[in-house]
Amino acid sequence: MFLYRFEVTTKTEIIYVVIAANDDEQAFRLVEVELEKHFLKVPDYTDISLHEKKLIRRGGGFVVYSEPRYSS
Amino acid sequence: MAYEKVWANNPNLNKTELKKLRKDGLKIFEDIPYYAKHGFSSIPQEEWDLFKWAGLYLQRPKEAGYFMMRVCIPSGILNNEQLETLAGIARDYGRGLFDITTRQSVQFHWLQIEQIPDIFDRLKRVGLSTAGACGDITRNIVGNPLAGIDPDELFDTREIVREVYEFFQHNEDFSNLPRKYKISISANVYNTVNAEIHCLSFTPAKKVIDGKEVLGFHVKVGGGLSSAPYLAQTLDVFVTPDRVKDVAVAVTTIFRDYGYREKRHRARLKFLVADWGVDKFKEKLIELTGPLPSKGEDVQKGWNPGYFYGVHRQKQEGLNFIGFNVPVGRLSADEVFEIARIARQYGNGEVRTCNSQNLIIPNIPDKYVDAVLQEKVFERISIRPNTFTGYSVSCTGTEFCNLALVETKERMRRVAEYLDQHLELDVPVRIHMVGCPNSCGQRQIGDIGLQGIKTKTKDRGMIEAFEIYVGGTLYNGGKYNQKLKGKVDAERISEVLLQLLTYFKETKLPGETFLAYLDRVGIEALQTELDSILAQVSTVA
């Protein structure tokens, strides 16, 4: 099993999502599930991006930190 | 056991450390014949990691039982018999693949446990080894690939590298370090070894001692890339060539005995150096070595990250070395045999690998230079590679790596080829492509770094993409590259880079390098241009 670090980009912000899944496809699906669970209305995102994955052996995690969203 | 493991009673050691206390990594060499006889299924899963000490990693998926093997090549120097042996291993066992790494080693893929004893025998017969190529141990020692023939070296470092390498080979006093440990030793004045990104580097220096000018080294400690990059710092010491081994042993002893073993992600020497600072580190060093003179004069003039294309005069009258480009470091076994034949026929048989993943044939007499260049193999392995093909670096990517998110090696080759077909520049631009946030492809020091991600938009399924970084260098102490905003569909990366580099070409001064340009115009100018390119090209975001 892998731990995944995602960034979901909207027009105004970046939402960080961490997922545990067996493969990349399942991980992407679970991001959307978690977004639906978390938000009353799913944010209008431009993309969901996977930046890093780690094997889960005896546990693990990611630091998620906020960066200013560049507006083009 | 010749030393006391002073950390053994620490109750907070991580699990890997406990495992290493139970069984030293080098002991795996004793077990391999049994496993080879009984097949991959006889290897307990908890032993898989120990294979690193023998230079072996399991390829993805691990359960399939195929190994990657790395062979140490100190300073990148190979004699003819060694080169032919490596080519034979690639041909007979490794599906013909022969990869040169960014630390001058050679890697094979698709090896099976049953084949390993024969491979070890072949390597041993010619004086090559995989011990320490991977694992928590002193890795291959990176050195000046031109050592002994180099007009730009202060002195020949071959014997020094050999002495240090031999000392650490199969040395169980130093086979249980907190983490991987990388040394470089070079007297070339253009920093051909990327000194700032090693745990321990010896760099060329001179000092007046008792009224006489003495040639030797300065010492840098605590560098390293990976996901938390640090640049090495210089200690206030001057080391004469005869003391290099003593200092290397002392620094390694400090790392072994004081390095952090509770958290693996904080175990590299760079974390100890960052916490202690260079003054405390020097104090500890001198406790072990005895007095060392203070720093002298740094004689380094600039930075050449291992590129030597073309024909160059050696120190030796009438002899030349020829630098060839190996696109993304990958050769076929047949090409290596051919290169070995050419080196034997025209030179002294020697071939040298560079940390730019390229190779050099040294000791070619003037009268044979043209004949060498006429050889058919050098149509692909060129002395005059196109700008981009000649300066591109890539990690392994998804082909063999468990953590990579995207394919890199073949893609980098194709991207460079595309750029070469569509754009000519008067300066090289070094592009480094990686498939994850780690640093196997040294993304941080590229003029342009491309970091792979996977991304999904509402109207497209999951695709591979890249983020672009600009401005990495090790010149003048070093600076890592910075991320530009925006994600580029991997299918469009060539096109986007072409537009970005065309803008660079149109707005640069004659002869201005990418780094000088970036210093002059600022990162914002490139960001604005990238924004405009991404607005036109159908990309991700």
Side-chain angles (χ1 to χ4, degrees):
Chain A
M1 190 163 246
F2 292 95
L3 196 67
Y4 292 86
R5 177 168 65 84
F6 283 91
E7 291 181 13
V8 180
T9 307
T10 74
K11 283 197 167 56
T12 55
E13 63 189 339
I14 293 173
I15 302 159
Y16 299 95
V17 181
V18 176
I19 294 290
N22 287 313
D23 59 48
D24 300 359
E25 287 80 3
Q26 186 196 15
F28 270 95
R29 278 198 306 276
L30 286 172
V31 172
E32 299 196 68
V33 170
E34 292 304 321
L35 287 173
E36 285 168 2
K37 284 183 190 171
H38 186 88
F39 294 98
L40 190 62
K41 181 177 181 297
V42 175
D44 185 20
Y45 61 82
T46 49
D47 68 89
I48 297 173
S49 293
L50 166 59
H51 284 255
E52 194 171 359
K53 73 177 181 185
K54 290 177 182 177
L55 265 170
I56 302 176
R57 289 194 179 96
R58 292 178 292 270
F62 292 109
V63 172
V64 289
Y65 60 98
S66 179
E67 296 177 87
R69 168 81 178 111
Y70 179 82
S71 53
S72 51
Chain B
M1 192 174 72
Y3 73 102
E4 187 195 351
K5 291 185 169 66
V6 292
W7 63 92
N9 295 324
N10 177 346
N12 300 319
L13 291 177
N14 67 59
K15 287 193 166 61
T16 304
E17 288 299 329
L18 296 173
K19 199 193 276 191
K20 289 191 292 179
L21 285 173
R22 284 195 297 273
K23 182 177 180 176
D24 187 87
L26 288 176
K27 297 287 185 208
I28 197 71
F29 278 99
E30 296 167 20
D31 302 334
I32 283 174
Y34 173 89
Y35 294 136
K37 205 169 170 180
H38 294 85
F40 181 69
S41 60
S42 69
I43 307 171
Q45 198 162 333
E46 59 272 17
E47 294 281 287
W48 286 0
D49 270 356
L50 282 184
F51 275 76
K52 290 180 197 169
W53 274 255
L56 292 157
Y57 282 101
L58 278 164
Q59 287 172 203
R60 60 188 297 176
K62 290 185 177 185
E63 294 71 22
Y66 288 107
F67 289 93
M68 180 278 278
M69 175 186 275
R70 192 179 293 148
V71 182
C72 294
I73 304 171
S75 235
I77 300 173
L78 286 163
N79 66 34
N80 205 257
E81 197 184 10
Q82 290 173 329
L83 187 64
E84 288 219 313
T85 297
L86 293 172
I89 292 166
R91 177 196 59 199
D92 297 343
Y93 297 123
R95 301 191 186 180
L97 292 178
F98 182 107
D99 284 348
I100 301 169
T101 76
T102 53
R103 297 191 78 255
Q104 296 177 297
S105 300
V106 164
Q107 284 182 183
F108 304 114
H109 293 281
W110 302 112
L111 308 182
Q112 292 173 282
I113 190 66
E114 293 82 355
Q115 304 160 344
I116 302 301
D118 182 49
I119 293 171
F120 281 169
D121 287 347
R122 293 186 190 198
L123 292 172
K124 196 174 175 182
R125 276 201 295 271
V126 296
L128 288 171
S129 166
T130 62
C134 317
D136 299 348
I137 191 168
T138 303
R139 300 291 188 87
N140 186 43
I141 297 176
V142 168
N144 176 14
L146 303 177
I149 62 170
D150 184 3
D152 294 318
E153 70 182 352
L154 217 51
F155 47 85
D156 184 354
T157 46
R158 283 176 296 183
E159 279 314 306
I160 300 167
V161 170
R162 175 60 48 188
E163 183 189 26
V164 176
Y165 170 76
E166 296 290 353
F167 176 85
F168 285 110
Q169 265 292 295
H170 286 280
N171 185 335
E172 289 194 15
D173 285 357
F174 294 97
S175 56
N176 183 351
L177 301 177
R179 197 73 171 74
K180 65 175 79 167
Y181 177 66
K182 299 175 177 179
I183 299 179
S184 80
I185 302 170
S186 169
N188 173 287
V189 298
Y190 293 105
N191 187 16
T192 57
V193 292
N194 300 340
E196 291 79 6
I197 61 173
H198 295 271
C199 302
L200 166 63
S201 284
F202 292 88
T203 63
K206 57 188 181 186
K207 185 176 172 76
V208 176
I209 299 174
D210 301 330
K212 270 197 195 152
E213 186 180 80
V214 179
L215 304 182
F217 296 98
H218 283 164
V219 177
K220 288 178 183 283
V221 290
L225 291 177
S226 73
S227 54
Y230 282 65
L231 292 166
Q233 300 175 68
T234 308
L235 299 178
D236 185 18
V237 296
F238 177 81
V239 178
T240 49
D242 60 310
R243 299 292 320 269
V244 168
K245 191 188 94 178
D246 298 344
V247 172
V249 171
V251 172
T252 314
T253 303
I254 292 170
F255 182 45
R256 183 192 69 193
D257 293 349
Y258 296 95
Y260 303 138
R261 293 177 181 264
E262 295 182 4
K263 300 168 182 166
R264 262 187 93 64
H265 60 274
R266 298 271 307 169
R268 289 285 299 273
L269 181 64
K270 62 189 177 184
F271 296 105
L272 185 69
V273 173
D275 285 352
W276 278 12
V278 285
D279 294 341
K280 181 177 173 182
F281 200 96
K282 178 191 165 178
E283 275 173 40
K284 273 285 174 218
L285 177 67
I286 284 169
E287 279 176 27
L288 296 171
T289 59
L292 291 168
S294 61
K295 259 193 319 193
E297 181 195 340
D298 183 346
V299 298
Q300 292 183 106
K301 294 181 191 172
W303 180 43
N304 171 359
Y307 293 99
F308 305 97
Y309 300 139
V311 181
H312 305 272
R313 291 253 170 236
Q314 291 182 193
K315 268 201 285 208
Q316 295 81 1
E317 185 66 32
L319 290 179
N320 305 273
F321 67 88
I322 308 179
F324 295 92
N325 169 244
V326 180
V328 293
R330 178 157 291 177
L331 292 157
S332 71
D334 291 344
E335 284 174 325
V336 181
F337 276 118
E338 195 53 8
I339 290 162
R341 176 193 62 79
I342 292 162
R344 199 170 52 242
Q345 186 174 331
Y346 300 107
N348 69 337
E350 233 179 59
V351 166
R352 302 177 175 208
T353 57
C354 311
N355 53 4
S356 54
Q357 299 179 291
N358 294 305
L359 62 83
I360 291 164
I361 301 182
N363 301 309
I364 304 292
D366 293 345
K367 62 182 177 185
Y368 293 142
V369 167
D370 288 340
V372 170
L373 299 180
Q374 295 306 313
E375 293 281 354
K376 192 168 169 41
V377 72
F378 298 132
E379 286 171 15
R380 186 180 90 86
I381 315 300
S382 161
I383 63 160
R384 277 185 221 88
N386 293 321
T387 307
F388 298 103
T389 297
Y391 293 88
S392 58
V393 173
S394 160
C395 70
T396 291
T398 47
E399 186 183 9
F400 297 116
C401 173
N402 286 296
L403 299 177
L405 303 174
V406 302
E407 198 281 314
T408 53
K409 218 167 182 66
E410 176 58 16
R411 178 177 279 127
M412 182 69 252
R413 195 194 60 74
R414 284 199 316 268
V415 168
E417 194 175 67
Y418 174 90
L419 292 172
D420 281 324
Q421 284 165 356
H422 293 86
L423 185 67
E424 266 187 44
L425 290 173
D426 61 348
V427 291
V429 174
R430 297 172 301 104
I431 303 180
H432 288 229
M433 185 182 278
V434 295
C436 85
N438 293 312
S439 304
C440 306
Q442 301 177 336
R443 188 269 295 157
Q444 296 91 336
I445 61 171
D447 286 324
I448 295 179
L450 301 171
Q451 187 159 313
I453 58 174
K454 271 189 172 149
T455 192
K456 187 177 178 180
T457 59
K458 284 212 172 87
D459 46 4
R460 297 185 67 171
M462 187 170 63
I463 58 163
E464 296 189 348
F466 285 93
E467 289 181 321
I468 300 176
Y469 293 73
V470 292
T473 181
L474 288 181
Y475 179 64
N476 218 0
K479 185 181 70 175
Y480 295 135
N481 48 27
Q482 295 171 270
K483 185 160 78 171
L484 293 175
K485 304 286 193 302
K487 304 178 185 86
V488 185
D489 179 345
E491 296 299 309
R492 315 300 293 268
I493 190 69
S494 301
E495 195 183 330
V496 169
L497 284 174
L498 176 62
Q499 290 191 47
L500 195 64
L501 287 161
T502 301
Y503 172 78
F504 162 64
K505 181 181 179 174
E506 288 165 353
T507 54
K508 76 192 278 298
L509 304 172
E512 189 175 37
T513 64
F514 191 81
L515 286 164
Y517 170 84
L518 209 54
D519 281 345
R520 182 171 61 83
V521 305
I523 195 170
E524 301 76 17
L526 277 185
Q527 181 65 69
T528 304
E529 184 58 23
L530 181 63
D531 291 345
S532 135
I533 294 165
L534 296 187
Q536 294 163 37
V537 177
S538 163
T539 57
V540 179

